[in-house]
Amino acid sequence: MAFEDRSTDGVRIEDPSAAVLAQAAETFGLLASSARLHIVWALAQGESDVTGLAERVGGALPAVSQHLTKLKLAGLVRSRREGRRQVYFVDDPDVVDVVRLAVGRLADRADGSARPAAARLRGL
């Protein structure tokens, strides 16, 4: 298949390596859970402990804790101890940018003026 130049300035954009694509797919896979996406969204607004996150995202404490563990293992979230509690924060600013962009754009479309992403993707 021929490479199609889609850049606006005429500069050829190379495809990312297989390793980069695999890492991106893994990250998107983790964020494919609405609960984990909500947790990352909340943490992008500011750090929090698990109790605060559970209240904000409307999840049970054990479930939110499990999601945080997965996000920590993937390197997207870190924590630090403050006294007796763990405080969580997003460890990857690029993930914050992607989440804010995607969720923000979809929220802007919530007025019904644009077709939902699922409807646009159905033909792919």
Side-chain angles (χ1 to χ4, degrees):
M1 178 147 86
F3 181 88
E4 186 176 338
D5 181 8
R6 294 185 179 261
S7 67
T8 57
D9 59 3
V11 175
R12 183 178 160 141
I13 300 171
E14 294 295 325
D15 289 343
S17 69
V20 168
L21 290 171
Q23 185 177 11
E26 185 177 323
T27 299
F28 284 124
L30 280 168
L31 297 176
S33 158
S34 60
R36 284 192 293 273
L37 184 60
H38 197 173
I39 289 168
V40 172
W41 173 264
L43 290 176
Q45 313 311 310
E47 52 191 38
S48 178
D49 64 6
V50 69
T51 303
L53 282 170
E55 289 172 4
R56 180 163 180 180
V57 305
L61 201 62
V64 171
S65 182
Q66 286 179 350
H67 287 305
L68 285 166
T69 298
K70 288 180 181 181
L71 292 167
K72 278 181 72 173
L73 287 171
L76 301 179
V77 169
R78 282 194 7 208
S79 66
R80 70 173 184 284
R81 184 160 294 284
E82 283 188 1
R84 300 178 75 190
R85 60 184 206 133
Q86 290 284 109
V87 176
Y88 294 88
F89 55 95
V90 178
D91 192 35
D92 190 334
D94 294 330
V95 169
V96 170
D97 291 342
V98 168
V99 168
R100 284 184 175 161
L101 178 66
V103 173
R105 292 241 173 120
L106 290 170
D108 290 345
R109 294 179 186 163
D111 64 6
S113 61
R115 292 186 313 154
R120 290 192 312 273
L121 296 175
R122 228 175 259 131
L124 293 179

